[in-house]
Amino acid sequence: MNKCLTTLTDVLINHSELDHKYKLYQVNFSTNVKQLSYGKRLAKIDKHTSPLGLISHGGKYWVLLNNKSQAPKKLPDIGFVKSSFLDCDNLLITRLLTRALGKLAGEQVFSGLGETYFYLESDTFKKETVHKCVGIDLKESVRFNSIFVDLKGTVFCPTDIVFKSPAFIEQAPKYSFDMTTGVLNRDKNGTLIIHSPGKGKFTSNAVDISGQKPISLRKSRTGALHHYIDLMNKVFDGAIKISLKQVNADWRQHYGNAEIKSIYNKIYDVVNQAGGIKIVNASLSTEGFEKLKGESWPVDITFITPEEVDDITPLLVVLDSKDEYESSGMEDIKQSFYNRNSATQSVYSKTITSKDTKAIKVLIDTWVKEIAIKLECKKKQFLIQDFKENYWFVSVEQRYQSDSPIYHILKCQNGKFTYESRDEYYFDDLGIELTEKERFFETINYIVDMSKSKPQICSIIHERIAAVPDGNILFNVLNHLERSSTEGMSRDYINSFLRSYTELEDPLKSCLNLLLEKFPQKKEFYKDDLKNEGVKYRSNAEKSLFDQYFEETGILLNYSLKGQHNEYLESQTGHFYDSEHSAYFVGMPKGGFKFSRGQFNNIRFLDGPDYLKERCVELTATYYVRNKAATVLPFPFKTLAECIELNKS
């Protein structure tokens, strides 16, 4: 599938219909009010006008009122100037209408002072209720010349379980939810602040509610996005029409287990050639260290004592947190293991003991590949993948707009590299002109081809625009999956399948026969029943078993179903490049989509000569930077990031 929906939008506005239904005012402040904080200015306007929508846009404040509302009276320190929708840009109008959803569709949307949230659900953390939402805003992309929807997973957390300083909690904006009116109140006496109390399913940048219901994708960012589009068109019918834009791929490449395995075999070779990994225990407990001894490792390992640590062999250290050491009257010893010539990786003992074998296997792969990358940095040479070009890879560090930028540079040539950090004048002195930000929210990385007489530059620009699943197709699949929660595969169907299947030695046949023998009275078998007997969706026989049952009954018993039933996956996997918009994204391996989470893939814009754009996308075809998934930036940027960290330490 060579097309994909995005968070970019097409917006059509009927200005006369808006003028018929609503009033628009621009707010002017006296000098005294201008000195107030952003939140206090919003609160002052809101208290006086009770608007449908209120935003700050273009350095000014704007108010949306119902057409039947009286014009707001001028105050000594605030004035209101009536404006025409025709004189406003589409971004201002769309943002203002989005903010009004909280008042016009309050049972589905929470809208506060300057904020709009789609409520996902409540959950508990340490016996306290946390509220999971998706923040909705609209921004303008200069690169794509389009408005796009910006989504941010947000957790509202009671201050009682916020592990921050009292000063942080005191200064943070306070909130309360009014579940009856659909309003999120900025409330100085409120008990909630925006804060994620823990990682995993509470993370605020990727809301994951799979712990509640396996197919709750409608309540994730994907569901919120499609719900937002539908709600805007419904509530403002006739006044605005908004739809998601599509991008079309000129080049597609999918990848799977074979490509991933090839790369990881190379990683294992790199580590083994360095002497394997020595594992040492520096924890106050031996439990985590001992647990690692029972695991299967893809590289050579040796368990050693602290006295046996040398300076040349890669090392994995099992240790405790700084607080745990200090509570026992000891100093934090972590850094002492990093002052070595070889690569060092560390892990907390509690992390190991809290994981099952499957999770530890993932951790082992992560530790091994991190050690391999650190070996590259120590030797200043690419060992995992060949890279011979004379290129510079540049990332920019600038935490605040007032800070001077720091340019981190990985200078590569003939398979080797060096790292440098420079100030903003370095490239000017070399006559190299780097693309500058057009918007404050952009992030830009650069590839510079230094082999040319005049260096050539490709800018990689990230604006938080994403490729997203097609909601209509996705939710249709989810509807089928939902049936499988209450309906299973019938005994009659399994018997019929076994009679028609002629491959006597196929393992599937023995698994199904064993299942029937184990439960002689059972008439239906559910997902877990089949899974427990080792029936998956891998062999042709297994695919035939599930696919035929779906075609006969509409019951979808396996998340990994391929083919015509989940073609939206094609738009979310592999490497995708659209030459018309100079845009690319990198998705998951084929079949790697997680139904329990909204799968968004960030789209990046490329600015530079065509050959460098093509090379940039080619360099994402590696599968270890993100664990067993293709990297979203060319892989030398991972090496650069590791060099930055090593330089800091």
Side-chain angles (χ1 to χ4, degrees):
M1 196 172 180
N2 294 324
K3 58 186 179 181
C4 182
L5 288 179
T6 70
T7 51
L8 295 164
T9 63
D10 280 317
V11 178
L12 296 174
I13 292 175
N14 185 335
H15 297 91
S16 60
E17 184 68 14
L18 286 174
D19 283 325
H20 177 69
K21 292 182 176 180
Y22 307 106
K23 294 177 182 177
L24 176 66
Y25 292 89
Q26 182 184 321
V27 184
N28 294 321
F29 294 111
S30 67
T31 304
N32 290 337
V33 176
K34 286 181 180 178
Q35 294 175 355
L36 295 176
S37 68
Y38 166 75
K40 288 182 178 179
R41 274 179 278 176
L42 286 174
K44 201 170 182 69
I45 302 168
D46 184 68
K47 185 176 180 181
H48 181 59
T49 62
S50 298
L52 292 175
L54 166 60
I55 63 169
S56 172
H57 182 89
K60 301 174 182 178
Y61 290 81
W62 302 84
V63 170
L64 182 74
L65 297 176
N66 193 295
N67 210 16
K68 295 180 181 179
S69 301
Q70 291 186 347
K73 294 180 181 179
K74 183 179 179 181
L75 296 176
D77 49 4
I78 304 178
F80 298 88
V81 179
K82 195 171 189 305
S83 302
S84 169
F85 286 101
L86 193 59
D87 296 331
C88 300
D89 62 70
N90 285 2
L91 180 61
L92 165 59
I93 294 171
T94 311
R95 289 189 67 223
L96 197 53
L97 296 182
T98 298
R99 202 69 72 239
L101 285 176
K103 295 286 183 70
L104 299 174
E107 72 281 2
Q108 303 173 77
V109 182
F110 284 85
S111 189
L113 295 177
E115 295 130 338
T116 300
Y117 296 94
F118 277 76
Y119 193 88
L120 297 185
E121 67 175 12
S122 61
D123 208 329
T124 56
F125 183 78
K126 294 187 180 297
K127 298 183 179 180
E128 295 283 348
T129 300
V130 296
H131 302 272
K132 300 174 185 176
C133 299
V134 172
I136 302 275
D137 201 357
L138 291 112
K139 295 178 179 176
E140 185 176 38
S141 166
V142 176
R143 316 293 175 179
F144 290 92
N145 190 28
S146 175
I147 295 171
F148 67 93
V149 183
D150 188 33
L151 301 171
K152 184 179 181 181
T154 306
V155 177
F156 289 87
C157 174
T159 55
D160 292 347
I161 55 173
V162 175
F163 301 106
K164 294 285 186 179
S165 67
F168 173 89
I169 296 173
E170 178 66 28
Q171 294 172 12
K174 309 296 189 302
Y175 299 88
S176 61
F177 280 116
D178 187 335
M179 305 292 274
T180 58
T181 62
V183 173
L184 169 69
N185 295 310
R186 280 206 181 207
D187 180 356
K188 65 180 181 180
N189 298 316
T191 60
L192 303 171
I193 67 172
I194 295 177
H195 177 72
S196 179
K199 295 182 180 180
K201 65 179 179 179
F202 294 102
T203 184
S204 61
N205 59 10
V207 175
D208 180 359
I209 51 178
S210 58
Q212 299 301 308
K213 189 177 180 183
I215 52 175
S216 54
L217 194 53
R218 290 179 184 81
K219 290 186 176 181
S220 74
R221 290 187 300 168
T222 304
L225 173 65
H226 290 288
H227 188 193
Y228 164 72
I229 297 297
D230 292 342
L231 205 56
M232 285 287 284
N233 291 327
K234 179 181 178 181
V235 173
F236 303 108
D237 183 32
I240 188 172
K241 177 68 176 176
I242 183 169
S243 59
L244 298 179
K245 281 186 177 179
Q246 185 174 278
V247 290
N248 297 291
D250 299 278
W251 177 75
R252 291 303 312 272
Q253 179 176 306
H254 294 283
Y255 62 97
N257 290 333
E259 292 88 349
I260 294 170
K261 186 176 180 180
S262 174
I263 290 290
Y264 271 80
N265 284 339
K266 181 61 177 174
I267 289 172
Y268 303 151
D269 289 343
V270 167
V271 173
N272 284 333
Q273 287 166 10
I277 299 175
K278 290 185 176 180
I279 305 173
V280 64
N281 186 43
S283 168
L284 300 172
S285 165
T286 61
E287 188 178 356
F289 183 71
E290 292 298 324
K291 190 172 182 178
L292 292 182
K293 292 181 179 180
E295 299 297 329
S296 175
W297 291 76
V299 295
D300 298 334
I301 58 166
T302 308
F303 291 90
I304 62 171
T305 64
E307 293 74 27
E308 295 176 291
V309 173
D310 60 44
D311 199 41
I312 58 173
T313 311
L315 186 69
L316 175 66
V317 187
V318 180
L319 40 71
D320 297 321
S321 67
K322 181 180 179 181
D323 291 342
E324 287 174 295
Y325 285 125
E326 289 180 350
S327 65
S328 299
M330 298 173 59
E331 291 185 359
D332 184 6
I333 59 175
K334 178 178 179 178
Q335 198 56 45
S336 64
F337 289 99
Y338 281 81
N339 299 323
R340 307 168 59 251
N341 288 327
S342 192
T344 301
Q345 183 71 22
S346 60
V347 58
Y348 290 138
S349 180
K350 283 186 176 179
T351 300
I352 300 169
T353 57
S354 66
K355 304 292 184 182
D356 60 20
T357 297
K358 184 177 180 181
I360 291 179
K361 182 176 174 59
V362 175
L363 287 176
I364 288 173
D365 273 332
T366 303
W367 299 330
V368 171
K369 63 103 170 175
E370 289 295 332
I371 284 174
I373 295 168
K374 288 175 180 178
L375 284 169
E376 288 188 318
C377 294
K378 293 285 186 179
K379 296 185 178 182
K380 299 181 180 179
Q381 182 178 353
F382 290 109
L383 303 171
I384 301 169
Q385 287 190 252
D386 291 332
F387 185 75
K388 304 294 186 183
E389 286 96 332
N390 183 8
Y391 282 7
W392 291 3
F393 295 85
V394 184
S395 66
V396 186
E397 181 182 343
Q398 186 180 24
R399 187 171 184 181
Y400 301 108
Q401 285 186 298
S402 58
D403 293 345
S404 297
I406 301 171
Y407 290 83
H408 299 285
I409 312 166
L410 193 74
K411 297 182 175 181
C412 309
Q413 189 170 15
N414 296 325
K416 298 185 177 182
F417 56 81
T418 57
Y419 162 74
E420 297 178 11
S421 65
R422 298 286 186 169
D423 62 22
E424 56 191 308
Y425 304 109
Y426 177 69
F427 288 96
D428 291 339
D429 294 341
L430 293 175
I432 297 174
E433 186 175 348
L434 299 179
T435 302
E436 296 184 355
K437 288 184 179 183
E438 297 281 356
R439 292 287 187 268
F440 72 95
F441 51 80
E442 293 180 351
T443 301
I444 308 182
N445 297 88
Y446 308 92
I447 299 177
V448 186
D449 182 357
M450 297 299 293
S451 67
K452 309 293 184 183
S453 56
K454 181 181 179 181
Q456 298 295 299
I457 304 160
C458 181
S459 304
I460 308 170
I461 303 161
H462 180 28
E463 299 178 285
R464 293 176 56 92
I465 297 164
V468 298
D470 185 320
N472 291 330
I473 299 172
L474 178 57
F475 299 140
N476 182 47
V477 174
L478 292 178
N479 287 334
H480 288 301
L481 279 171
E482 204 150 20
R483 283 189 62 191
S484 70
S485 298
T486 56
E487 300 178 56
M489 185 177 289
S490 71
R491 190 180 197 91
D492 289 343
Y493 173 78
I494 295 175
N495 279 321
S496 174
F497 180 84
L498 288 171
R499 285 194 298 271
S500 63
Y501 197 61
T502 57
E503 296 291 334
L504 297 177
E505 301 301 322
D506 195 299
L508 174 62
K509 201 158 190 174
S510 59
C511 287
L512 292 176
N513 279 320
L514 185 62
L515 180 67
L516 296 176
E517 291 171 9
K518 190 181 290 186
F519 304 101
Q521 304 302 319
K522 204 165 188 176
K523 294 183 178 180
E524 279 190 327
F525 297 90
Y526 299 93
K527 289 192 292 279
D528 287 344
D529 297 326
L530 295 162
K531 183 179 179 181
N532 291 339
E533 292 303 320
V535 181
K536 300 180 180 179
Y537 191 87
R538 293 181 178 176
S539 70
N540 289 333
E542 289 171 320
K543 292 175 183 179
S544 177
L545 173 75
F546 287 111
D547 287 359
Q548 287 179 26
Y549 193 65
F550 172 74
E551 289 166 6
E552 290 183 17
T553 66
I555 298 173
L556 186 57
L557 280 165
N558 195 285
Y559 292 99
S560 302
L561 192 64
K562 307 292 192 298
Q564 59 181 343
H565 312 304
N566 63 352
E567 59 263 38
Y568 71 93
L569 279 181
E570 291 291 316
S571 69
Q572 294 294 294
T573 58
H575 305 269
F576 186 110
Y577 178 64
D578 175 5
S579 61
E580 179 185 352
H581 298 98
S582 291
Y584 80 94
F585 73 77
V586 179
M588 301 298 291
K590 210 163 187 180
F593 186 89
K594 299 295 186 293
F595 277 90
S596 58
R597 178 175 295 185
Q599 182 69 50
F600 280 36
N601 290 316
N602 288 317
I603 293 176
R604 287 169 169 79
F605 178 87
L606 298 175
D607 182 20
D610 287 343
Y611 83 92
L612 258 186
K613 293 178 185 177
E614 182 178 333
R615 187 65 177 129
C616 171
V617 178
E618 288 174 354
L619 291 174
T620 64
T622 194
Y623 312 104
Y624 62 87
V625 177
R626 295 194 297 170
N627 214 37
K628 298 195 174 180
T631 178
V632 296
L633 285 172
F635 72 84
F637 280 105
K638 171 63 176 177
T639 311
L640 174 57
E642 192 62 45
C643 287
I644 294 169
E645 287 302 312
L646 288 173
N647 191 62
K648 287 179 180 178
S649 61

